[in-house]
Amino acid sequence: MRDRTHAADAEPGMEATIAGWVHEIRDLGGIAFLILRDRTGRIQVKFEKDDLDDELVERGLSVHRESVLQVTGKVFEEDRAPTGVEIVPDSLEIVAEADPELPLDPSGKVGADLSTRLDNRTLDLRRAETRAIFEIRSAVLEAARDTFRELGGTEITTPKIVATGTEGGTELFPITYFGREAFMNQSPQLFKQLLAASGLERVFEIGPIFRAEEHNTPRHLNEATSIDFESAFIDAEEAMDVAETFLRSVYQAVESNCQDELETLGLAADFTVPEADFPRITYEEAIQRANATGVVDEQLTWGDDLPTEAEKALGEAIDQHYFITNWPAEVKPFYIKDEDDDPEVSTGFDLNHPRMELVSGGQREHRYDQLVEGFEAQGLDPAAFDYYTKMFKYGMPPHAGWGMGAERLLVTMLDLDNIREAVLFPRDRKRLSP
Protein backbone atom coordinates (compact mmCIF):
# COMPACT_ATOMS: atom_id res chain seq x y z
CA MET A 1 0.00 0.00 0.00
CA ARG A 2 2.79 2.34 -0.99
CA ASP A 3 0.45 4.98 -2.42
CA ARG A 4 -1.86 5.02 0.57
CA THR A 5 -3.20 8.37 1.80
CA HIS A 6 -4.15 8.79 5.45
CA ALA A 7 -7.68 9.96 6.23
CA ALA A 8 -6.50 13.22 7.78
CA ASP A 9 -4.47 14.08 4.67
CA ALA A 10 -7.27 13.66 2.14
CA GLU A 11 -8.07 16.97 0.44
CA PRO A 12 -10.77 17.94 -2.10
CA GLY A 13 -9.77 17.33 -5.69
CA MET A 14 -7.18 14.64 -5.07
CA GLU A 15 -7.32 11.01 -6.13
CA ALA A 16 -6.69 9.02 -2.97
CA THR A 17 -6.27 5.43 -1.85
CA ILE A 18 -7.27 5.08 1.79
CA ALA A 19 -7.02 1.90 3.85
CA GLY A 20 -8.48 1.35 7.27
CA TRP A 21 -11.21 -0.21 9.37
CA VAL A 22 -14.97 0.01 8.83
CA HIS A 23 -16.18 2.18 11.70
CA GLU A 24 -19.83 2.53 10.75
CA ILE A 25 -22.25 1.98 7.84
CA ARG A 26 -25.43 4.00 7.28
CA ASP A 27 -27.70 2.84 4.46
CA LEU A 28 -30.38 5.45 3.67
CA GLY A 29 -31.86 3.77 0.60
CA GLY A 30 -30.67 5.46 -2.58
CA ILE A 31 -27.54 6.68 -0.83
CA ALA A 32 -25.31 5.10 1.79
CA PHE A 33 -22.28 6.12 3.78
CA LEU A 34 -19.39 4.10 5.14
CA ILE A 35 -17.06 5.65 7.71
CA LEU A 36 -13.50 4.39 7.27
CA ARG A 37 -11.05 4.85 10.14
CA ASP A 38 -7.27 4.84 10.27
CA ARG A 39 -4.79 6.05 12.89
CA THR A 40 -5.17 9.68 11.78
CA GLY A 41 -8.96 9.84 11.94
CA ARG A 42 -12.06 9.02 9.89
CA ILE A 43 -13.27 9.72 6.38
CA GLN A 44 -16.70 9.30 4.85
CA VAL A 45 -17.10 7.06 1.80
CA LYS A 46 -20.25 7.94 -0.19
CA PHE A 47 -22.22 5.42 -2.23
CA GLU A 48 -24.80 6.97 -4.58
CA LYS A 49 -26.26 3.69 -5.69
CA ASP A 50 -27.57 4.83 -9.10
CA ASP A 51 -24.17 6.20 -10.06
CA LEU A 52 -21.94 3.32 -8.96
CA ASP A 53 -21.43 -0.25 -10.07
CA ASP A 54 -23.89 -2.52 -8.24
CA GLU A 55 -21.21 -5.05 -7.35
CA LEU A 56 -18.98 -2.34 -5.83
CA VAL A 57 -21.90 -1.01 -3.77
CA GLU A 58 -22.86 -4.48 -2.60
CA ARG A 59 -19.27 -5.28 -1.61
CA GLY A 60 -18.88 -2.03 0.32
CA LEU A 61 -22.15 -2.22 2.22
CA SER A 62 -22.14 -5.92 3.05
CA VAL A 63 -18.94 -5.95 5.11
CA HIS A 64 -19.04 -6.10 8.89
CA ARG A 65 -17.73 -3.41 11.20
CA GLU A 66 -13.95 -3.53 11.81
CA SER A 67 -13.28 -5.22 8.48
CA VAL A 68 -10.24 -3.78 6.71
CA LEU A 69 -10.95 -2.04 3.40
CA GLN A 70 -8.91 -0.24 0.78
CA VAL A 71 -10.85 2.42 -1.10
CA THR A 72 -9.63 4.38 -4.13
CA GLY A 73 -11.51 7.37 -5.48
CA LYS A 74 -11.83 11.13 -5.75
CA VAL A 75 -12.06 13.31 -2.67
CA PHE A 76 -14.78 15.96 -2.53
CA GLU A 77 -15.58 18.72 -0.08
CA GLU A 78 -18.65 17.94 2.02
CA ASP A 79 -19.47 20.11 5.00
CA ARG A 80 -21.91 17.58 6.41
CA ALA A 81 -19.29 14.82 6.53
CA PRO A 82 -17.57 14.20 9.88
CA THR A 83 -14.27 15.68 8.65
CA GLY A 84 -15.55 18.04 5.94
CA VAL A 85 -14.57 15.78 3.05
CA GLU A 86 -15.75 12.52 1.54
CA ILE A 87 -14.46 10.05 -1.01
CA VAL A 88 -16.49 8.59 -3.86
CA PRO A 89 -15.08 5.13 -4.60
CA ASP A 90 -13.89 3.99 -8.01
CA SER A 91 -12.68 0.71 -6.52
CA LEU A 92 -13.03 -1.04 -3.17
CA GLU A 93 -11.08 -4.03 -1.89
CA ILE A 94 -11.96 -6.08 1.18
CA VAL A 95 -8.51 -6.67 2.64
CA ALA A 96 -9.62 -8.59 5.74
CA GLU A 97 -13.16 -9.49 6.77
CA ALA A 98 -14.07 -9.13 10.46
CA ASP A 99 -16.24 -11.52 12.41
CA PRO A 100 -19.71 -10.03 12.90
CA GLU A 101 -19.63 -10.95 16.61
CA LEU A 102 -17.09 -8.61 18.17
CA PRO A 103 -16.11 -9.07 21.84
CA LEU A 104 -16.29 -5.29 22.33
CA ASP A 105 -17.41 -2.23 20.42
CA PRO A 106 -14.46 -0.12 19.22
CA SER A 107 -16.81 2.77 18.45
CA GLY A 108 -17.47 3.14 22.15
CA LYS A 109 -21.24 3.22 21.74
CA VAL A 110 -21.48 0.06 23.83
CA GLY A 111 -19.24 0.01 26.88
CA ALA A 112 -17.06 -2.87 28.06
CA ASP A 113 -15.49 -3.59 31.45
CA LEU A 114 -11.74 -3.33 31.89
CA SER A 115 -11.20 -7.09 31.97
CA THR A 116 -12.90 -7.54 28.58
CA ARG A 117 -10.90 -4.65 27.17
CA LEU A 118 -7.62 -6.14 28.38
CA ASP A 119 -8.54 -9.58 27.03
CA ASN A 120 -9.05 -7.95 23.63
CA ARG A 121 -6.44 -5.19 23.74
CA THR A 122 -6.00 -5.01 19.97
CA LEU A 123 -9.67 -4.15 19.53
CA ASP A 124 -9.60 -1.89 22.57
CA LEU A 125 -6.80 0.17 21.02
CA ARG A 126 -9.10 0.99 18.13
CA ARG A 127 -11.07 3.09 20.62
CA ALA A 128 -9.97 6.71 20.39
CA GLU A 129 -9.77 7.10 24.17
CA THR A 130 -7.52 4.07 24.66
CA ARG A 131 -5.30 5.06 21.75
CA ALA A 132 -4.97 8.57 23.20
CA ILE A 133 -3.57 7.17 26.46
CA PHE A 134 -0.78 5.35 24.65
CA GLU A 135 0.00 8.23 22.31
CA ILE A 136 0.48 10.32 25.47
CA ARG A 137 2.52 7.54 27.06
CA SER A 138 4.82 7.57 24.02
CA ALA A 139 5.15 11.36 24.27
CA VAL A 140 5.95 11.09 27.99
CA LEU A 141 8.77 8.62 27.39
CA GLU A 142 10.16 10.71 24.53
CA ALA A 143 10.10 13.81 26.75
CA ALA A 144 11.71 11.83 29.57
CA ARG A 145 14.67 10.90 27.40
CA ASP A 146 14.98 14.43 26.02
CA THR A 147 14.93 15.91 29.53
CA PHE A 148 17.56 13.54 30.87
CA ARG A 149 19.82 14.28 27.91
CA GLU A 150 19.40 18.01 28.48
CA LEU A 151 20.48 17.37 32.07
CA GLY A 152 23.64 15.64 30.86
CA GLY A 153 22.51 12.06 31.33
CA THR A 154 23.64 8.98 29.40
CA GLU A 155 21.00 6.34 28.70
CA ILE A 156 21.90 2.89 30.03
CA THR A 157 20.41 -0.61 29.89
CA THR A 158 20.95 -2.85 32.91
CA PRO A 159 20.38 -6.62 33.33
CA LYS A 160 16.89 -7.90 34.04
CA ILE A 161 18.14 -11.38 35.02
CA VAL A 162 20.21 -11.24 38.20
CA ALA A 163 21.76 -13.54 40.79
CA THR A 164 20.50 -11.52 43.76
CA GLY A 165 17.67 -9.08 44.30
CA THR A 166 18.20 -5.38 44.73
CA GLU A 167 16.71 -5.49 48.20
CA GLY A 168 17.32 -9.10 49.19
CA GLY A 169 15.27 -12.21 48.56
CA THR A 170 11.76 -10.85 49.05
CA GLU A 171 9.29 -10.03 46.31
CA LEU A 172 11.40 -11.76 43.64
CA PHE A 173 10.38 -13.93 40.70
CA PRO A 174 12.79 -16.91 40.62
CA ILE A 175 13.78 -18.46 37.30
CA THR A 176 16.07 -21.31 36.26
CA TYR A 177 19.19 -20.02 34.53
CA PHE A 178 21.22 -22.89 33.03
CA GLY A 179 20.69 -25.03 36.11
CA ARG A 180 21.19 -22.18 38.58
CA GLU A 181 18.63 -20.10 40.42
CA ALA A 182 18.31 -16.54 39.21
CA PHE A 183 15.71 -13.80 39.55
CA MET A 184 13.91 -11.17 37.51
CA ASN A 185 15.30 -7.84 38.66
CA GLN A 186 13.25 -5.64 41.00
CA SER A 187 15.13 -2.48 40.08
CA PRO A 188 18.23 -1.24 38.23
CA GLN A 189 19.34 0.38 41.50
CA LEU A 190 22.64 -1.38 42.16
CA PHE A 191 23.77 -1.28 38.54
CA LYS A 192 22.94 2.38 38.04
CA GLN A 193 24.97 3.19 41.15
CA LEU A 194 27.96 1.35 39.73
CA LEU A 195 27.60 3.24 36.46
CA ALA A 196 27.30 6.58 38.22
CA ALA A 197 30.63 5.70 39.83
CA SER A 198 32.17 5.08 36.43
CA GLY A 199 33.27 7.72 33.98
CA LEU A 200 29.64 8.13 32.90
CA GLU A 201 28.76 9.91 36.18
CA ARG A 202 25.14 10.78 35.29
CA VAL A 203 22.88 8.05 33.90
CA PHE A 204 19.24 7.21 33.30
CA GLU A 205 17.24 4.16 32.30
CA ILE A 206 13.66 3.53 31.21
CA GLY A 207 12.92 -0.17 31.43
CA PRO A 208 10.91 -3.00 33.01
CA ILE A 209 11.04 -4.04 36.65
CA PHE A 210 9.47 -7.10 38.25
CA ARG A 211 7.92 -7.35 41.72
CA ALA A 212 6.41 -10.57 43.08
CA GLU A 213 4.04 -8.65 45.33
CA GLU A 214 0.69 -10.33 45.95
CA HIS A 215 -1.25 -7.12 45.56
CA ASN A 216 -4.47 -6.93 43.60
CA THR A 217 -5.20 -3.22 43.67
CA PRO A 218 -5.81 -0.49 41.07
CA ARG A 219 -2.30 0.91 41.73
CA HIS A 220 -0.03 -2.17 41.66
CA LEU A 221 1.53 -4.22 38.85
CA ASN A 222 3.92 -7.16 38.85
CA GLU A 223 5.70 -5.90 35.73
CA ALA A 224 6.07 -2.16 35.48
CA THR A 225 8.17 0.44 33.69
CA SER A 226 10.64 2.30 35.87
CA ILE A 227 12.15 5.68 34.99
CA ASP A 228 15.47 5.83 36.82
CA PHE A 229 18.03 8.57 37.36
CA GLU A 230 21.40 8.46 39.14
CA SER A 231 24.21 10.98 39.33
CA ALA A 232 27.59 11.26 40.98
CA PHE A 233 28.53 14.33 42.99
CA ILE A 234 24.99 15.35 43.98
CA ASP A 235 23.07 14.99 47.25
CA ALA A 236 19.43 14.27 48.07
CA GLU A 237 18.37 17.90 47.73
CA GLU A 238 19.84 18.13 44.24
CA ALA A 239 18.25 14.81 43.27
CA MET A 240 14.88 16.24 44.32
CA ASP A 241 15.56 19.30 42.16
CA VAL A 242 16.10 16.98 39.18
CA ALA A 243 12.88 15.05 39.92
CA GLU A 244 10.90 18.27 40.05
CA THR A 245 12.45 19.61 36.86
CA PHE A 246 11.83 16.28 35.15
CA LEU A 247 8.16 16.11 36.12
CA ARG A 248 7.36 19.64 34.99
CA SER A 249 9.23 19.10 31.72
CA VAL A 250 7.21 15.98 30.92
CA TYR A 251 3.93 17.74 31.67
CA GLN A 252 4.99 20.66 29.47
CA ALA A 253 5.73 18.28 26.60
CA VAL A 254 2.30 16.68 26.88
CA GLU A 255 0.63 20.09 27.05
CA SER A 256 2.51 21.22 23.93
CA ASN A 257 2.29 18.06 21.82
CA CYS A 258 -0.82 16.13 22.86
CA GLN A 259 -3.73 18.57 22.75
CA ASP A 260 -5.76 16.33 20.42
CA GLU A 261 -5.29 13.35 22.74
CA LEU A 262 -6.13 15.41 25.82
CA GLU A 263 -9.26 16.63 24.03
CA THR A 264 -10.23 13.04 23.26
CA LEU A 265 -9.89 12.18 26.95
CA GLY A 266 -11.82 15.25 28.04
CA LEU A 267 -8.79 16.70 29.83
CA ALA A 268 -7.70 19.58 27.62
CA ALA A 269 -9.54 22.31 29.52
CA ASP A 270 -8.19 21.31 32.94
CA PHE A 271 -4.72 20.00 32.10
CA THR A 272 -2.09 22.09 33.88
CA VAL A 273 1.66 21.89 34.29
CA PRO A 274 2.60 21.51 37.98
CA GLU A 275 3.72 24.72 39.63
CA ALA A 276 7.37 25.16 40.60
CA ASP A 277 8.77 24.58 44.09
CA PHE A 278 7.04 21.44 45.29
CA PRO A 279 6.64 21.55 49.08
CA ARG A 280 9.23 19.50 50.96
CA ILE A 281 7.97 18.22 54.31
CA THR A 282 9.82 15.88 56.63
CA TYR A 283 8.56 12.43 57.45
CA GLU A 284 7.98 13.55 61.04
CA GLU A 285 5.81 16.43 59.87
CA ALA A 286 3.99 14.12 57.46
CA ILE A 287 2.90 11.66 60.17
CA GLN A 288 1.87 14.54 62.44
CA ARG A 289 -0.27 16.02 59.70
CA ALA A 290 -1.69 12.62 58.79
CA ASN A 291 -2.60 11.98 62.43
CA ALA A 292 -4.31 15.35 62.59
CA THR A 293 -6.63 14.42 59.71
CA GLY A 294 -8.27 11.75 61.86
CA VAL A 295 -8.40 9.20 59.02
CA VAL A 296 -6.07 6.65 60.64
CA ASP A 297 -7.47 4.15 63.15
CA GLU A 298 -4.35 4.32 65.32
CA GLN A 299 -1.99 7.27 65.65
CA LEU A 300 1.11 6.87 63.48
CA THR A 301 4.46 6.82 65.24
CA TRP A 302 8.09 7.06 64.12
CA GLY A 303 8.91 4.18 61.77
CA ASP A 304 5.35 3.53 60.56
CA ASP A 305 4.68 3.56 56.86
CA LEU A 306 1.99 5.94 55.68
CA PRO A 307 -1.17 3.89 54.99
CA THR A 308 -3.13 4.62 51.83
CA GLU A 309 -5.85 6.58 53.61
CA ALA A 310 -3.28 8.80 55.36
CA GLU A 311 -1.39 9.35 52.13
CA LYS A 312 -4.62 10.32 50.40
CA ALA A 313 -5.68 12.71 53.17
CA LEU A 314 -2.26 14.35 53.21
CA GLY A 315 -2.35 14.73 49.44
CA GLU A 316 -5.77 16.35 49.55
CA ALA A 317 -4.56 18.81 52.18
CA ILE A 318 -1.42 19.79 50.23
CA ASP A 319 -3.25 19.67 46.88
CA GLN A 320 -0.17 19.46 44.65
CA HIS A 321 2.94 17.36 44.10
CA TYR A 322 5.08 17.28 47.24
CA PHE A 323 8.15 15.60 48.73
CA ILE A 324 8.40 13.69 52.00
CA THR A 325 12.01 13.84 53.20
CA ASN A 326 14.16 12.46 56.01
CA TRP A 327 12.51 9.08 56.36
CA PRO A 328 13.53 6.83 59.27
CA ALA A 329 16.70 4.95 58.42
CA GLU A 330 15.14 1.66 59.53
CA VAL A 331 12.49 1.69 56.79
CA LYS A 332 14.78 2.59 53.89
CA PRO A 333 17.01 0.13 51.96
CA PHE A 334 20.65 -0.49 52.86
CA TYR A 335 21.94 1.70 50.02
CA ILE A 336 20.28 4.89 51.35
CA LYS A 337 22.72 7.06 53.27
CA ASP A 338 21.85 8.22 56.80
CA GLU A 339 22.17 11.83 57.87
CA ASP A 340 25.68 12.49 59.18
CA ASP A 341 24.43 14.06 62.40
CA ASP A 342 21.63 11.56 63.12
CA PRO A 343 21.92 7.88 62.10
CA GLU A 344 18.23 7.35 62.89
CA VAL A 345 17.27 9.62 60.01
CA SER A 346 17.98 8.82 56.35
CA THR A 347 18.47 11.01 53.32
CA GLY A 348 15.64 9.10 51.63
CA PHE A 349 12.74 10.95 50.04
CA ASP A 350 9.50 10.26 48.20
CA LEU A 351 7.79 12.44 45.62
CA ASN A 352 4.01 12.16 45.82
CA HIS A 353 1.10 13.23 43.69
CA PRO A 354 -1.99 13.94 45.83
CA ARG A 355 -3.30 10.51 44.77
CA MET A 356 -0.22 8.33 45.30
CA GLU A 357 3.55 8.00 45.57
CA LEU A 358 5.43 8.47 42.29
CA VAL A 359 9.14 8.52 43.21
CA SER A 360 11.43 6.96 45.77
CA GLY A 361 14.98 8.25 46.04
CA GLY A 362 17.76 9.57 48.17
CA GLN A 363 21.48 10.01 48.57
CA ARG A 364 23.35 6.71 48.47
CA GLU A 365 25.84 5.39 50.96
CA HIS A 366 29.18 5.63 49.17
CA ARG A 367 31.49 4.56 52.05
CA TYR A 368 32.40 0.87 51.99
CA ASP A 369 32.38 0.15 55.73
CA GLN A 370 29.07 1.89 56.35
CA LEU A 371 27.53 0.14 53.33
CA VAL A 372 28.51 -3.30 54.67
CA GLU A 373 27.09 -2.36 58.07
CA GLY A 374 23.83 -1.46 56.34
CA PHE A 375 23.66 -4.89 54.71
CA GLU A 376 24.18 -6.61 58.04
CA ALA A 377 21.67 -4.40 59.84
CA GLN A 378 18.99 -5.51 57.38
CA GLY A 379 19.90 -9.19 57.64
CA LEU A 380 21.57 -9.40 54.22
CA ASP A 381 24.82 -11.17 53.42
CA PRO A 382 27.28 -8.67 51.86
CA ALA A 383 29.15 -11.57 50.22
CA ALA A 384 26.12 -12.25 48.02
CA PHE A 385 26.52 -8.74 46.59
CA ASP A 386 30.28 -8.83 46.13
CA TYR A 387 30.08 -7.58 42.52
CA TYR A 388 28.49 -4.43 43.94
CA THR A 389 30.25 -3.87 47.26
CA LYS A 390 33.82 -4.37 46.01
CA MET A 391 33.46 -1.40 43.67
CA PHE A 392 33.06 0.81 46.72
CA LYS A 393 36.72 0.13 47.48
CA TYR A 394 37.87 1.70 44.22
CA GLY A 395 36.88 5.34 44.57
CA MET A 396 33.11 5.64 44.94
CA PRO A 397 31.97 9.28 44.78
CA PRO A 398 28.96 10.63 46.65
CA HIS A 399 25.89 10.06 44.52
CA ALA A 400 22.11 10.25 44.59
CA GLY A 401 19.12 9.40 42.44
CA TRP A 402 15.59 8.13 42.24
CA GLY A 403 13.14 5.85 40.45
CA MET A 404 9.69 6.77 39.17
CA GLY A 405 6.89 4.47 38.04
CA ALA A 406 5.92 5.38 34.48
CA GLU A 407 2.44 3.91 34.86
CA ARG A 408 1.80 5.81 38.09
CA LEU A 409 2.90 8.99 36.38
CA LEU A 410 0.30 8.39 33.65
CA VAL A 411 -2.43 7.42 36.11
CA THR A 412 -2.00 10.68 38.00
CA MET A 413 -1.43 12.83 34.92
CA LEU A 414 -4.52 11.51 33.10
CA ASP A 415 -6.70 10.78 36.14
CA LEU A 416 -7.09 7.10 35.23
CA ASP A 417 -9.06 4.82 37.52
CA ASN A 418 -6.80 1.79 37.23
CA ILE A 419 -3.06 1.47 36.57
CA ARG A 420 -3.76 -1.32 34.07
CA GLU A 421 -5.25 1.28 31.74
CA ALA A 422 -1.72 2.69 31.29
CA VAL A 423 -0.17 -0.64 30.23
CA LEU A 424 -0.67 -2.29 26.87
CA PHE A 425 -0.56 -5.85 28.22
CA PRO A 426 -0.53 -5.67 32.04
CA ARG A 427 0.85 -8.39 34.29
CA ASP A 428 -0.68 -8.88 37.70
CA ARG A 429 -1.46 -11.82 40.00
CA LYS A 430 -4.21 -13.12 37.70
CA ARG A 431 -3.21 -11.90 34.26
CA LEU A 432 -0.49 -13.63 32.27
CA SER A 433 -2.14 -13.40 28.83
CA PRO A 434 -2.34 -11.75 26.39
Side-chain angles (χ1 to χ4, degrees):
M1 300 183 181
R2 188 171 297 172
D3 298 325
R4 175 188 173 200
T5 300
H6 286 111
D9 298 328
E11 296 180 355
M14 68 187 300
E15 290 285 336
T17 296
I18 298 176
W21 292 266
V22 176
H23 187 74
E24 184 182 4
I25 296 176
R26 290 178 289 128
D27 193 338
L28 306 179
I31 190 170
F33 301 98
L34 181 153
I35 306 300
L36 198 62
R37 184 190 71 243
D38 64 18
R39 68 178 178 86
T40 68
R42 304 170 191 173
I43 189 168
Q44 178 170 287
V45 183
K46 182 171 74 172
F47 297 87
E48 291 195 74
K49 297 180 182 179
D50 290 342
D51 296 339
L52 296 177
D53 179 78
D54 290 344
E55 194 274 334
L56 184 152
V57 172
E58 173 64 22
R59 193 176 339 123
L61 300 184
S62 65
V63 295
H64 302 297
R65 286 185 309 124
E66 298 307 311
S67 295
V68 179
L69 300 187
Q70 177 173 290
V71 177
T72 298
K74 190 170 183 178
V75 179
F76 294 89
E77 184 175 359
E78 175 51 76
D79 293 338
R80 293 169 294 180
T83 57
V85 298
E86 64 185 9
I87 183 169
V88 175
D90 294 323
S91 65
L92 184 150
E93 177 187 353
I94 300 175
V95 179
E97 182 79 56
D99 193 304
E101 299 296 326
L102 299 174
L104 61 83
D105 179 10
S107 74
K109 293 181 179 178
V110 179
D113 61 33
L114 182 58
S115 179
T116 299
R117 290 171 50 204
L118 296 177
D119 286 343
N120 301 278
R121 198 50 141 168
T122 301
L123 275 179
D124 184 47
L125 281 160
R126 296 180 191 173
R127 297 173 61 246
E129 294 81 4
T130 303
R131 196 162 59 254
I133 291 171
F134 291 99
E135 292 290 357
I136 292 173
R137 179 182 171 119
S138 177
V140 163
L141 297 183
E142 180 180 7
R145 288 184 165 91
D146 289 345
T147 301
F148 283 135
R149 292 187 187 103
E150 289 169 6
L151 292 168
T154 299
E155 185 165 9
I156 59 171
T157 304
T158 60
K160 304 307 165 202
I161 300 174
V162 294
T164 54
T166 302
E167 296 164 21
T170 61
E171 301 174 354
L172 289 166
F173 286 113
I175 62 173
T176 300
Y177 190 75
F178 299 106
R180 292 176 289 164
E181 185 178 53
F183 304 94
M184 302 302 295
N185 206 3
Q186 302 159 299
S187 163
Q189 179 62 43
L190 306 188
F191 292 101
K192 67 176 181 171
Q193 284 186 253
L194 297 181
L195 292 168
S198 72
L200 296 176
E201 290 193 18
R202 177 164 286 197
V203 297
F204 70 93
E205 178 171 13
I206 300 173
I209 59 170
F210 305 88
R211 300 282 175 102
E213 298 172 331
E214 295 193 4
H215 295 301
N216 190 22
T217 77
R219 59 165 66 186
H220 287 95
L221 293 166
N222 295 108
E223 179 183 359
T225 302
S226 186
I227 302 171
D228 277 87
F229 169 81
E230 201 77 19
S231 179
F233 304 110
I234 67 170
D235 60 18
E237 292 290 331
E238 292 167 296
M240 284 188 276
D241 291 343
V242 171
E244 186 172 333
T245 296
F246 171 86
L247 194 66
R248 283 203 309 276
S249 179
V250 167
Y251 267 80
Q252 287 166 350
V254 171
E255 182 182 57
S256 297
N257 303 320
C258 300
Q259 281 299 312
D260 288 346
E261 289 78 10
L262 291 172
E263 190 72 42
T264 296
L265 295 170
L267 300 174
D270 298 322
F271 188 86
T272 56
V273 177
E275 295 180 3
D277 300 325
F278 298 170
R280 299 183 184 186
I281 64 173
T282 66
Y283 166 83
E284 187 169 17
E285 181 185 349
I287 61 172
Q288 289 172 353
R289 293 179 66 167
N291 284 335
T293 65
V295 301
V296 290
D297 295 332
E298 297 183 10
Q299 291 286 286
L300 301 172
T301 61
W302 182 265
D304 288 339
D305 198 5
L306 286 173
T308 301
E309 61 271 20
E311 198 176 73
K312 182 178 178 182
L314 189 60
E316 289 175 351
I318 297 174
D319 196 30
Q320 69 170 104
H321 290 87
Y322 65 98
F323 290 98
I324 300 177
T325 67
N326 302 110
W327 281 75
E330 64 189 80
V331 304
K332 285 298 181 181
F334 59 83
Y335 49 79
I336 295 290
K337 184 179 181 294
D338 298 337
E339 293 286 358
D340 291 330
D341 57 355
D342 188 351
E344 300 298 315
V345 179
S346 78
T347 61
F349 63 81
D350 290 347
L351 169 58
N352 287 18
H353 178 275
R355 281 183 63 182
M356 65 181 70
E357 176 193 328
L358 296 180
V359 167
S360 181
Q363 186 169 343
R364 318 311 188 184
E365 180 54 76
H366 67 282
R367 299 164 297 181
Y368 176 81
D369 291 339
Q370 286 84 347
L371 181 69
V372 171
E373 288 174 8
F375 272 101
E376 294 170 344
Q378 295 194 9
L380 299 172
D381 179 10
F385 296 82
D386 181 62
Y387 74 93
Y388 168 74
T389 57
K390 70 181 181 181
M391 293 300 160
F392 286 72
K393 298 178 180 180
Y394 308 145
M396 178 66 67
H399 57 288
W402 44 264
M404 173 185 291
E407 290 79 18
R408 288 191 170 206
L409 173 58
L410 285 158
V411 164
T412 53
M413 176 185 284
L414 304 180
D415 196 25
L416 304 178
D417 292 329
N418 194 305
I419 198 167
R420 292 156 186 79
E421 295 182 75
V423 189
L424 286 169
F425 301 105
R427 293 292 175 261
D428 56 33
R429 283 179 59 193
K430 298 182 179 180
R431 184 170 292 277
L432 194 56
S433 178

